[in-house]
Amino acid sequence: MKSELRNYLEIFTKELHDNMLSYWMKYGVEKEGKSFYGAVDLKNEPVLSANKTSVLNARILWTFAAAAKKYPGKGYEEIAHKAYRVVYEDFADKEHGGFYMELNADNEVANDIKHTYAQAFVIYSLSKYYESNPATEVMDRVQDFFYFLDKKTKDPEHIGYLESFTRDWSIYKENRMADNNEPKSMNTHLHLLEAYAAVYKIWKDDLVKQRLTELLDIFINNIIREDGHLGIFFTGEFAETDSSKAICSFGHDIEASWLLWEAAEILGDESIKTKIKPLLLKMADAVLRVGVDKDGGLFLESTRYGSHIRTNKHWWLQAENLVGLMNAFELTGDPLYWDTVKLAWGFIDKHVIDHEGGEWFTKVSRLGKPYLIEPEDDPSPFYRNDWKIDPWKCPYHNGRAMIELSNRISGLLEK
């Protein structure tokens, strides 16, 4: 077993350095300018007209800060410093606070809506940046922005957080991160959870602890369904909406299974860990039962209460599938999870990685054929198949997966 683990440690480490981070350093950084391209096409040429998003740039910051911490001296620090500057100098709204959603190619504001989802990624990335660069200025910004975000986004009447706001932080009901403008979403709360866990990891503040505990309770009591899948959209009172109940998002299910455990471990509350462990294993098993194809690839989602499966396999789902199954293997020792990690990696290596052009394809068919144009009958929710980098296609999911797998396998080898 240890020999096999060492082999996969080498594989995942090589993928991180030689295919992911090197790609972003070569093609993602503006040749003329001080920031990062908003998009790069399949020929690795920048799409100079593409907008830039705070989500993409925060995720670049998180990825390279994490890499810089784990692998100092490889040039990752410089990219992290650049991304930090971009986030704070280009995207920060210095008048009303928070961070703009989009800039155009000339770094002018193109979308000033303040999505809680996007704000969460900023504080998540700042927390990781502090781990690799523990400067007082960075900690001050983490603390100030946490208090600001808590004041602006937390629902004053009900549990949970509101979704989106205008530039001056008035409620913006027409543009939430939800299909039908539902008041609350699982996705926003999942990324607030990971963000506040990252904040609490570096700053043991009582209010951060309280908010992280509340978010874990929301998942335990309101978001995780009885069958182990996650509810998607919710009312203001945090009841799942009828239109949401027919949907299962397998990528979010498996991603949440390990993020919940990470948050519970960082929080350190044994009673919550006792509650969450069987739930996250139920989540992993639910995904294995109906979401993982026989070749190890992870389907996008099911609709109509499971009677319809969207069989396309998007890049980020495959990355999260690896980490979620690895987490379940660590917690149980059940070889089924490790065998599925290997199977899933085999699918990724054969079909999802672009071995000629670099990085990963955005989406492949059930049989592993890459989509190189956007199909009219099955459009991607945000990202484009004909771009290798775009406002949503980032190094965070697959880069983080390689870092997580390397850390987790190293831990097993040390036992």
Side-chain angles (χ1 to χ4, degrees):
M1 179 70 180
K2 285 199 171 185
S3 176
E4 185 175 61
L5 287 171
R6 280 191 288 269
N7 179 51
Y8 276 93
L9 176 60
E10 182 178 347
I11 289 171
F12 296 141
T13 304
K14 179 177 175 60
E15 174 66 14
L16 176 69
H17 294 302
D18 296 349
N19 187 41
M20 294 181 183
L21 300 179
S22 59
Y23 180 92
W24 284 81
M25 293 171 78
K26 183 175 183 179
Y27 298 113
V29 181
E30 289 181 337
K31 301 297 185 291
E32 297 180 9
K34 298 181 179 179
S35 55
F36 303 90
Y37 294 118
V40 171
D41 66 22
L42 292 175
K43 296 180 181 178
N44 297 329
E45 295 293 334
V47 183
L48 298 178
S49 61
N51 283 355
K52 307 170 183 180
T53 67
S54 54
V55 173
L56 173 60
N57 282 271
R59 288 169 165 180
I60 292 171
L61 173 55
W62 188 95
T63 304
F64 279 90
K69 180 189 177 188
K70 184 171 176 60
Y71 305 104
K74 291 184 175 291
Y76 303 145
E77 296 91 344
E78 288 79 2
I79 304 298
H81 295 331
K82 180 187 287 286
Y84 174 70
R85 184 207 63 76
V86 168
V87 168
Y88 257 90
E89 292 186 13
D90 297 346
F91 284 93
D93 183 344
K94 297 176 177 60
E95 181 178 355
H96 295 288
F99 298 83
Y100 300 120
M101 189 67 183
E102 292 182 84
L103 306 176
N104 65 21
D106 296 321
N107 286 344
E108 299 166 335
V109 177
N111 180 350
D112 62 8
I113 298 302
K114 308 287 176 61
H115 287 287
T116 303
Y117 174 100
Q119 310 302 311
F121 270 106
V122 171
I123 199 166
Y124 180 57
S125 67
L126 288 177
S127 300
K128 182 58 69 175
Y129 184 60
Y130 178 80
E131 288 187 43
S132 66
N133 181 45
T136 301
E137 174 196 89
V138 181
M139 176 57 78
D140 288 345
R141 284 178 164 172
V142 169
Q143 294 177 353
D144 290 346
F145 190 45
F146 169 78
Y147 289 130
F148 180 87
L149 199 57
D150 185 69
K151 180 180 179 181
K152 295 295 186 182
T153 65
K154 193 172 188 307
D155 188 336
E157 298 180 4
H158 305 290
I159 60 172
Y161 293 79
L162 303 173
E163 291 282 323
S164 60
F165 306 83
T166 61
R167 183 187 174 191
D168 64 0
W169 293 95
S170 300
I171 296 294
Y172 189 58
K173 296 182 179 180
E174 287 74 30
N175 195 5
R176 302 188 181 103
M177 304 291 286
D179 285 357
N180 301 305
N181 284 331
E182 291 91 345
K184 291 172 183 172
S185 72
M186 168 274 296
N187 203 13
T188 291
H189 286 76
L190 178 62
H191 293 298
L192 272 171
L193 174 94
E194 74 178 343
Y196 285 0
V199 173
Y200 193 63
K201 183 179 178 182
I202 63 169
W203 176 39
K204 302 302 185 187
D205 176 77
D206 287 343
L207 183 59
V208 180
K209 181 179 182 179
Q210 179 183 336
R211 296 294 185 248
L212 182 56
T213 303
E214 291 168 354
L215 281 162
L216 283 163
D217 285 340
I218 287 170
F219 272 87
I220 291 170
N221 298 315
N222 299 85
I223 295 181
I224 303 173
R225 298 173 185 155
E226 185 62 32
D227 62 3
H229 296 289
L230 299 176
I232 312 296
F233 306 122
F234 300 85
T235 66
E237 293 79 16
F238 233 111
E240 188 173 6
T241 62
D242 289 340
S243 61
S244 169
K245 293 177 182 177
I247 307 168
C248 293
S249 177
F250 303 131
H252 289 110
D253 290 342
I254 198 67
E255 181 183 20
S257 74
W258 75 266
L259 286 176
L260 287 166
W261 185 247
E262 177 186 70
E265 286 202 305
I266 291 171
L267 184 65
D269 186 320
E270 292 300 323
S271 64
I272 288 182
K273 290 172 68 175
T274 299
K275 291 179 185 176
I276 208 75
K277 183 176 178 180
L279 291 176
L280 70 86
L281 292 174
K282 180 189 284 189
M283 293 163 68
D285 289 340
V287 171
L288 269 177
R289 184 172 63 251
V290 296
V292 177
D293 203 354
K294 60 184 179 181
D295 59 11
L298 185 62
F299 297 135
L300 175 62
E301 65 184 10
S302 67
T303 59
R304 298 187 181 184
Y305 295 94
S307 64
H308 288 59
I309 302 291
R310 296 186 68 188
T311 59
N312 290 334
K313 298 169 181 178
H314 297 221
W315 100 98
W316 74 268
L317 319 173
Q318 314 314 313
E320 297 301 340
N321 196 31
L322 292 171
V323 185
L325 294 170
M326 188 70 196
N327 185 62
F329 173 64
E330 289 179 278
L331 290 175
T332 65
D334 187 337
L336 172 63
Y337 297 121
W338 173 244
D339 289 342
T340 313
V341 169
K342 293 185 290 182
L343 188 66
W345 173 252
F347 178 83
I348 291 168
D349 187 37
K350 185 175 181 180
H351 299 294
V352 183
I353 295 173
D354 183 353
H355 288 285
E356 293 184 5
E359 245 281 350
W360 293 15
F361 292 112
T362 297
K363 183 171 70 179
V364 301
S365 71
R366 180 180 184 181
L367 298 181
K369 182 179 179 180
Y371 288 93
L372 304 181
I373 59 174
E374 191 66 19
E376 294 182 4
D377 61 340
D378 186 22
S380 300
F382 294 105
Y383 31 81
R384 291 176 51 154
N385 296 329
D386 54 349
W387 289 353
K388 193 67 67 67
I389 294 173
D390 78 5
W392 295 92
K393 177 72 160 48
C394 60
Y396 145 84
H397 286 289
N398 49 359
R400 182 175 68 173
M402 296 303 103
I403 293 171
E404 282 289 331
L405 289 164
S406 296
N407 288 339
R408 291 165 184 268
I409 292 174
S410 295
L412 292 174
L413 289 171
E414 291 171 0
K415 290 184 178 178

